[in-house]
Amino acid sequence: MTMNKTVRLARRPHGEVQREDFAIAEEALSDPAEGQFRVRAEYVSLDPAMRGWMNEGKSYVPPVGIGEVMRGFVSGTVDASRHAKFKEGDTVSGLLGVQSHAITDGQGIAKADTSLAPLQTWVGGLGMPGLTAYCGLTYVGEPKEGETVVVSAASGAVGQVVGQIANIYGCRTVGIAGGPEKCAALTDEFGFDAAVDYKKEWLADDLKAACSDGIDVNFENVGGDILDSVLPLMNFRGRIAICGLISAYNATKPVPGPYNFRSILVNRLRVQGFIVFDFLDKYPEAYKQLGTWYKQGKLKFREDVRDGGLDAFPDVLKLLYSGGNFGKLILKV
Ligand SMILES: NC(=O)c1ccc[n+]([C@@H]2O[C@H](COP(=O)([O-])OP(=O)(O)OC[C@H]3O[C@@H](n4cnc5c(N)ncnc54)[C@H](OP(=O)(O)O)[C@@H]3O)[C@@H](O)[C@H]2O)c1
């Protein structure tokens, strides 16, 4: 008999996630009611934000409750339907939770066109990370042709797309990543103009050398020392799009603010945080644009797809916070 395998939050983590923070079990499979359909998950997206969703406290979405199915983006196939718009066999993606089968009324669920890209890409470059890169860079970073754009965690799901879109916009692109292999991929695979390895000793000097005309747009994914190295190099009226601060997600003590905060004042910078959900009205445009560029061969997506099924979820999730992934981290269900 087919069962629903679920990954539920068992307790709130302290610091790094542990296996014991989750309860993984097989449960009875439900059938969809009128107006609903059921999705058989094929790929689960592993996202840095998952760590924040597990914490108690005020955020941009409510925390996942203890005992609830872990929140997560999924792509899969409709295997039962009593919904007018979604039929059995349709491929879809959306926030369906970390489980093998999800029942939904279709709210926020998009059809995934597998003639354009494989199903896994619909939780990656053509899914939430791609939307984040497009909306954050275009509408928060507001880069102009000829400007210098810097992005951190540049080989990751969001960063690799930011760099490639900035190239399309005619900008000079500089990526920051950990280690020679990831840095080589930035220039050789994704077409960045320069790459800086933050794991080497002289991040500030190397970044300065790579950004000889200063920085106009910083797409910040990491925070901490990386943001501090970027700040003094920012140009007059530069923009900093705060997309993520992954260096602090597992912190158990308060983290210091940027030491080079003064640059915001003297350079009249605009520093703006954003969440991809702020741009719901831009999603149709973003999907269309990303799909077009992908079809034209202007965008490439590097995916890091892991086996092991839902049992492997806690261990695979950890990879994000140590740089163990190379590209969009996805778990095959
Ligand atoms: N605002 C939004 O709506 C939104 C949406 C999606 C994602 N995000 C944010 O965007 C950022 C990137 O997400 P992603 O999905 O694209 O993940 P990702 O870049 O694919 O994976 C995370 C990467 O972050 C880097 N990293 C981890 N810990 C680090 C540390 N202490 N110092 C420096 N680098 C570190 C690692 O790369 P290296 O090996 O290069 O260190 C790791 O591979 C995250 O901060 C995430 O929260 C925000």
Side-chain angles (χ1 to χ4, degrees):
M1 194 172 73
T2 310
M3 304 286 281
N4 185 22
K5 189 164 214 172
T6 56
V7 178
R8 292 181 183 273
L9 184 64
R11 65 177 191 193
R12 304 222 174 269
H14 181 74
E16 256 201 9
V17 288
Q18 310 291 332
R19 274 201 85 77
E20 297 72 28
D21 298 332
F22 301 98
I24 304 176
E26 302 229 313
E27 302 173 13
L29 189 65
S30 314
D31 290 321
E34 188 56 39
Q36 295 182 325
F37 58 97
R38 191 174 63 203
V39 180
R40 179 171 38 78
E42 288 171 57
Y43 296 98
V44 171
S45 173
L46 285 300
D47 292 293
M50 285 173 152
R51 179 63 190 83
W53 297 341
M54 296 165 77
N55 288 342
E56 197 71 81
K58 183 174 176 281
S59 188
Y60 59 93
V61 285
V64 178
I66 302 294
E68 283 179 8
V69 172
M70 183 61 200
R71 184 179 291 134
F73 288 92
V74 162
S75 60
T77 303
V78 175
D79 75 349
S81 180
R82 294 179 67 194
H83 192 285
K85 294 205 181 115
F86 293 86
K87 306 264 171 287
E88 219 179 297
D90 282 352
T91 45
V92 297
S93 72
L95 260 183
L96 291 160
V98 185
Q99 55 187 336
S100 65
H101 296 78
I103 295 204
T104 168
D105 62 5
Q107 194 97 39
I109 306 301
K111 291 207 181 169
D113 177 1
T114 51
S115 68
L116 176 61
L119 197 47
Q120 66 202 43
T121 303
W122 291 95
V123 291
L126 296 178
M128 185 279 285
L131 296 176
T132 304
Y134 177 84
C135 296
L137 181 65
T138 308
Y139 295 109
V140 184
E142 295 186 316
K144 294 172 198 68
E145 197 177 336
E147 288 190 329
T148 297
V149 174
V150 168
V151 58
S152 48
S155 75
V158 175
Q160 56 174 270
V161 185
V162 169
Q164 294 178 83
I165 297 176
N167 268 343
I168 293 169
Y169 289 158
C171 299
R172 185 162 186 281
T173 50
V174 179
I176 303 173
E181 200 193 348
K182 287 185 177 180
C183 284
L186 293 184
T187 49
D188 303 349
E189 193 176 327
F190 301 122
F192 283 71
D193 294 294
V196 174
D197 182 355
Y198 75 89
K199 289 189 172 160
K200 286 198 344 207
E201 211 175 331
W202 310 110
L203 168 62
D205 293 345
D206 291 349
L207 193 59
K208 191 172 179 184
C211 303
S212 48
D213 293 332
I215 301 170
D216 302 291
V217 176
N218 176 45
F219 193 103
E220 189 55 56
N221 283 325
V222 173
D225 292 345
I226 290 184
L227 177 56
D228 251 324
S229 301
V230 163
L231 276 168
L233 302 176
M234 290 298 299
N235 289 334
F236 181 68
R237 292 215 195 286
R239 286 81 66 202
I240 299 186
I242 305 281
C243 174
L245 298 168
I246 195 170
S247 64
Y249 290 178
N250 287 320
T252 51
K253 287 190 258 172
V255 289
Y259 294 102
N260 292 318
F261 204 68
R262 179 174 175 271
S263 173
I264 298 170
L265 171 68
V266 298
N267 292 310
R268 284 74 137 191
L269 305 182
R270 172 159 59 73
V271 182
Q272 188 183 331
F274 75 95
I275 299 294
V276 63
F277 308 139
D278 301 341
F279 294 97
L280 283 178
D281 62 323
K282 303 287 185 201
Y283 284 11
E285 166 197 316
Y287 275 123
K288 194 167 163 211
Q289 193 58 84
L290 291 165
T292 303
W293 286 330
Y294 178 72
K295 224 178 337 187
Q296 292 170 339
K298 290 182 180 166
L299 282 184
K300 284 182 205 160
F301 305 127
R302 184 175 184 129
E303 290 152 355
D304 184 343
V305 182
R306 301 290 171 128
D307 290 318
L310 293 175
D311 290 316
F313 174 80
D315 298 323
V316 178
L317 179 60
K318 279 190 206 176
L319 297 173
L320 288 171
Y321 310 102
S322 62
N325 64 307
F326 193 167
K328 170 64 208 158
L329 188 61
I330 299 168
L331 182 63
K332 197 162 185 287
V333 177

